[in-house]
């Protein structure tokens, strides 16, 4: 019985937070960046020594969106705004940069500097993108290294 209780507790602790349990400073940063977004869940993560909150939500039109928030010395800052799109909706130069790509999922990640990173996921590989293409200043570039956010 104790093992089952411990397993349940670990599952709850590892699960994404519900919107009402998002820390006030994270919620305020989300509201400042995307006032029309309703938070549906959030998850604290650590990657490469950096702390992030992945905050998922919905816009008034029902579209799903995710903000990746990085904890900095100034507080929580939006580093990416993500949404799923169809591969056919990516700009033609982005699709041309990866002509053999047949992604089963595409995440459009808008960066704070105006760049957009298209994360392409292959069949059977849902955790990490198989390929990433950056669209910036009218140029599409296949990234050789994984984008840090």
């Amino acid at each position: 019985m104790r093992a089952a209780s411990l397993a349940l507790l670990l599952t709850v602790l590892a699960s994404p937070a519900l919107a009402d349990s998002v820390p006030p400073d994270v919620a305020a940063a989300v509201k400042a960046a995307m006032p029309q977004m309703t938070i549906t869940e959030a998850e604290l993560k650590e990657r490469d020594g950096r702390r992030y909150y992945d905050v998922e939500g919905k816009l008034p039109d029902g579209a799903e969106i995710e903000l990746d928030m990085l904890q900095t010395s100034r507080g929580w800052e939006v580093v990416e705004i993500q949404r799923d799109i169809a591969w056919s909706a990516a700009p033609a130069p982005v699709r041309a940069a990866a002509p053999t790509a047949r992604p089963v999922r595409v995440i459009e990640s808008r960066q704070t500097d105006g760049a957009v990173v298209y994360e392409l996921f292959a069949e059977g590989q849902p955790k990490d993108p198989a390929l990433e293409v950056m669209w910036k200043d009218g140029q599409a570039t296949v990234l050789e290294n994984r984008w840090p956010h």
Side-chain angles (χ1 to χ4, degrees):
M1 184 66 140
R2 285 178 48 158
S5 296
L6 180 59
L8 177 61
L9 177 61
L10 290 175
T11 300
V12 169
L13 292 175
S15 298
L18 298 176
D20 59 357
S21 64
V22 174
D25 54 340
V26 173
V30 168
K31 191 73 169 166
M34 191 74 52
Q36 69 275 32
M37 179 178 161
T38 300
I39 298 173
T40 56
E41 67 180 56
E43 185 174 6
L44 179 63
K45 296 181 177 181
E46 282 205 34
R47 284 180 258 164
D48 302 322
R50 296 181 305 260
R51 288 173 45 105
Y52 290 89
Y53 248 103
D54 290 347
V55 182
E56 296 180 20
K58 290 194 178 210
L59 298 176
D61 66 0
E64 294 180 356
I65 193 165
E66 179 179 313
L67 301 183
D68 284 1
M69 315 284 295
L70 175 64
Q71 188 175 33
T72 71
S73 60
R74 296 177 302 279
W76 291 97
E77 296 181 16
V78 174
V79 291
E80 287 186 323
I81 299 173
Q82 300 179 321
R83 68 183 181 131
D84 280 60
I85 65 165
W87 182 223
S88 60
V94 169
R95 295 190 317 270
T100 61
R102 301 286 179 264
V104 295
R105 182 181 184 202
V106 177
I107 297 176
E108 177 187 76
S109 297
R110 296 191 173 276
Q111 309 300 304
T112 55
D113 66 355
V116 181
V117 176
Y118 292 88
E119 302 173 27
L120 313 180
F121 292 82
E123 183 74 42
Q125 298 176 332
K127 296 223 183 263
D128 292 313
L131 184 72
E132 294 178 314
V133 180
M134 179 178 280
W135 177 245
K136 186 172 183 179
D137 300 328
Q139 299 287 350
T141 307
V142 174
L143 298 179
E144 293 182 20
N145 296 309
R146 182 148 187 219
W147 191 247
H149 303 297

